[in-house]
Structure formats: structure tokens, C-alpha cells
Amino acid sequence: MRAARRPPGRLVEIGGFRLHVNTVGEGGPVVVFDAALAGSSISWTFVQPAVSRFARALTYDRAGFGWSDAGPMPRTAGRIADELHRLLERTGEPPPYLLVGHSFGGLVMQIFAARFAAETAALVLVDPAHPQDWVRPAPKEQVRIDRGARLCRQGGTAASWGIAHLVSALVGAGALGSARALVKLASRGDLNADADQEWLLAPMFKLPPDAQRTLRWFWTQRRFYDALGSQIEWMPVSAAETLAARAGGYGDLPLVTISSTNPSDHRLRQQEALAAMSTRGRHLMATHSGHWIPLDQPELVVAVIQELHAAVRGRKVDSTRQAACAASSSSSTAFPAPRD
């Protein structure tokens, strides 16, 4: 496990704590990735190397995740977007940026694109969380928030007591039955159903062995559970921050939103409405992916990024875009030619 603790990138101080950033490849605009709720830089294991063949690709770990230090609380999407902006400033990576956000990372990137419109070249949202579902949670969603925060508190305790290390070792040895039983015991039955546990473990089984070992180490760190629990508990605030930031729409910003295969009618309407927030937006559906599209169908994510990267290369970003109206009646089926 010792090798897994060596970060592939570097730690950058952004004001009292350090964030891990890993940048490979050349060619602007720089492609910047943010991962899902419990994800990290290794969530882009299959995407970043492919993108680095035609662009500079930057992954990072939010505070508390991966190799990054713990950061200030609460961990809301708005705070994280501002921290990402400071990180990019400190690294010297020049704007504009092509932003890619998966799930919760989609909230972060929507806020970034609105707050720093002059520094944003394009936006790719991979099965993003939709803030309308979380700003005023229905009872069912509130139960999920409360349960998730409680599980993270229990996970933090397990990490402090060394139980998380034992679970990690059992998973690594293939003793999944024993690992599940120990997780059930440590969570006092909260994490009981096989479906719940498999959903949490699914990203691991889609990653190569080296990345699996790294992910298991992440799961033994107290800071991971503290940060994740805060993100979950403060999800309604993150949702409100997203809605407020994007209220003016995205004007003519090239925007693609990708949904998992066979979304519900409700989800489909949300995705289409999100794409319509830009006059150059469109919605795509993955052909054989669950929620973890970067792991299930990374070639689709890479293809979308490559198309957008080619379309916006050399395009001057309009600094007044965030105030523009995005009253598109339907999402476009192709990207209009860039305007000079």
C-alpha cells in the first residue's frame, strides 16, 4: 500500500492547505476535470491519458479527497469552485479552460463556468447532479442525505480505529463476504443491503488493479469521510449555489451534457433543459453506461472532449457571456462554427 500513497502529481498550497493536481499532455485550452461525490483524480483513469494525446489534461483532488489535505468546512460546491480557481491560478495553467464535471463535480463546474465565465471555453457535464432535486429535498431525498452523513461519521470513526484498514485489506484479498459483514457491523446496520454496498464498491471493480489499491487507501483516511459527509450534508446549499450562479444561463458557451443509458423521463427533461441553457448546447445519451460513464464508456467522454476542444481552440472567450440570455427553444444537434 506504500506505493499507492505517492501522488502522481504535485501538492499545491492554495491558502492554508494543499490540493493535489496532476497535469499531463500539451495543447490548450487546458481540460480540467472534477469527479463525482466520492470520486477523485483516479476516477478519470481511463479518460485523462486519452485526452492528453490531443490536449493538456488536468485532474485534481478536492480537499479531503485523494492526496489532498483536508480543507475548510463546510464543503459546498461554491467553496470548491472557488478553491479550484485558486488552484489553477497557483499552478499557472492559463485560461480559458474546458471544464468537465461528473455527477457532483457537475455542480462545481456549472458554478465555475458562471462565476469565471471569461476563463471558461466550454463545459462538459457527465451525468451531472441536478440542483432542482436537492435545493428543497423531498422527504425521500432528505432521508438519503441524513443517512449518507451518518454513514460518513461512522466511516470516520472506523478510519480512526483502524477498521477501515481491515475492510480495505479484506477487499484487496477478495474476501468480500467478510468485508461486507464488517461494514455492516461498523455501520450498525445502516449499510446493509447488498445493492447499497455494490453501488459503493462498483467504481473500484471497474478500475485497474493499481488504481484499486490506491482507492482502498483513500477509503482508510479520516479526512475522506469528513469531506464526503460535509458534501452530503450541505447538498441543499450546493444546489442553491448552483441555481443562483447559473441563473443568467450560459449564453453561447459550447456545452454538452451526457446522460446514462435509458434515463427516466424526468431525468431526460432535466438534461434537455440543462443543454438548452446555452445556444450551443446539446444532450447526448450513453449507449451502455450506468452512472459511472467515465469508467463504463470513457471513449464517449473522450470523443466529446476532443470535438469541443477542436471547436474552441483559438476562440476568444466573450467576457460578457455570463450575462447573456440563453433562451434556446431546443438543444442543438451540432456545434455551430465558433465566432471570431
Side-chain angles (χ1 to χ4, degrees):
M1 194 70 71
R2 184 175 299 171
R5 301 187 188 189
R6 292 197 294 266
R10 59 194 176 105
L11 293 171
V12 178
E13 201 278 332
I14 67 162
F17 61 101
R18 302 170 303 166
L19 295 182
H20 170 249
V21 60
N22 184 29
T23 310
V24 293
E26 297 298 334
V30 180
V31 182
V32 180
F33 296 89
D34 202 355
L37 187 71
S40 63
S41 55
I42 64 170
S43 301
W44 304 103
T45 290
F46 300 129
V47 175
Q48 186 181 23
V51 171
S52 71
R53 298 188 185 107
F54 60 84
R56 190 157 179 80
L58 183 152
T59 58
Y60 84 108
D61 295 318
R62 296 190 294 267
F65 291 84
W67 289 276
S68 291
D69 295 338
M73 297 290 184
R75 305 303 305 158
T76 69
R79 182 192 293 275
I80 294 167
D82 289 339
E83 290 173 353
L84 175 57
H85 186 252
R86 290 202 303 274
L87 175 66
L88 293 172
E89 288 182 326
R90 295 291 177 90
T91 60
E93 297 292 344
Y97 309 109
L98 195 163
L99 306 175
V100 184
H102 174 220
S103 192
F104 178 84
L107 299 182
V108 175
M109 291 312 201
Q110 288 178 66
I111 293 172
F112 190 109
R115 290 183 178 177
F116 309 105
E119 300 177 30
T120 302
L123 183 59
V124 179
L125 302 171
V126 185
D127 212 29
H130 287 277
Q132 302 93 324
D133 293 337
W134 298 102
V135 68
R136 294 182 183 86
K140 181 175 68 173
E141 278 70 32
Q142 188 61 53
V143 167
R144 291 173 62 188
I145 290 173
D146 295 341
R147 182 167 174 263
R150 184 171 62 251
L151 284 169
C152 286
R153 289 193 293 271
Q154 294 165 350
T157 300
S160 298
W161 289 356
I163 298 173
H165 284 274
L166 180 55
V167 172
S168 174
L170 289 170
V171 173
L176 297 183
S178 298
R180 291 190 185 100
L182 186 56
V183 167
K184 178 181 176 181
L185 179 64
S187 68
R188 301 174 185 174
D190 273 340
L191 193 60
N192 188 8
D194 286 346
D196 285 340
Q197 296 186 43
E198 293 304 332
W199 183 86
L200 290 171
L201 294 174
M204 173 179 287
F205 297 137
K206 298 173 189 293
L207 290 166
D210 286 348
Q212 290 182 21
R213 286 190 288 271
T214 302
L215 185 58
R216 291 202 307 273
W217 175 67
F218 291 168
W219 289 351
T220 67
Q221 306 302 301
R222 176 69 188 248
R223 54 187 164 81
F224 165 78
Y225 295 101
D226 290 344
L228 178 59
S230 181
Q231 285 180 179
I232 293 171
E233 187 173 2
W234 288 78
M235 189 67 174
V237 174
S238 292
E241 290 173 334
T242 306
L243 290 174
R246 73 182 199 185
Y250 291 109
D252 66 345
L253 176 71
L255 184 158
V256 177
T257 181
I258 307 171
S259 67
S260 58
T261 307
N262 298 323
S264 66
D265 290 342
H266 172 68
R267 183 71 169 174
L268 185 61
R269 288 193 297 271
Q270 288 180 322
Q271 292 282 69
E272 294 288 353
L274 180 55
M277 295 190 73
S278 168
T279 59
R280 302 178 71 199
R282 65 169 173 170
H283 166 231
L284 301 177
M285 189 184 303
T287 56
H288 52 274
S289 291
H291 178 61
W292 288 91
I293 300 172
L295 302 180
D296 290 333
Q297 205 171 342
E299 67 278 3
L300 172 60
V301 181
V302 173
V304 169
I305 294 171
Q306 187 167 20
E307 181 181 1
L308 274 176
H309 193 268
V312 303
R313 188 183 296 120
R315 177 176 182 261
K316 183 178 180 181
V317 179
D318 183 0
S319 62
T320 64
R321 184 179 57 242
Q322 72 175 356
C325 175
S328 175
S329 59
S330 63
S331 58
S332 60
T333 57
F335 298 114
R339 298 186 311 190
D340 294 331

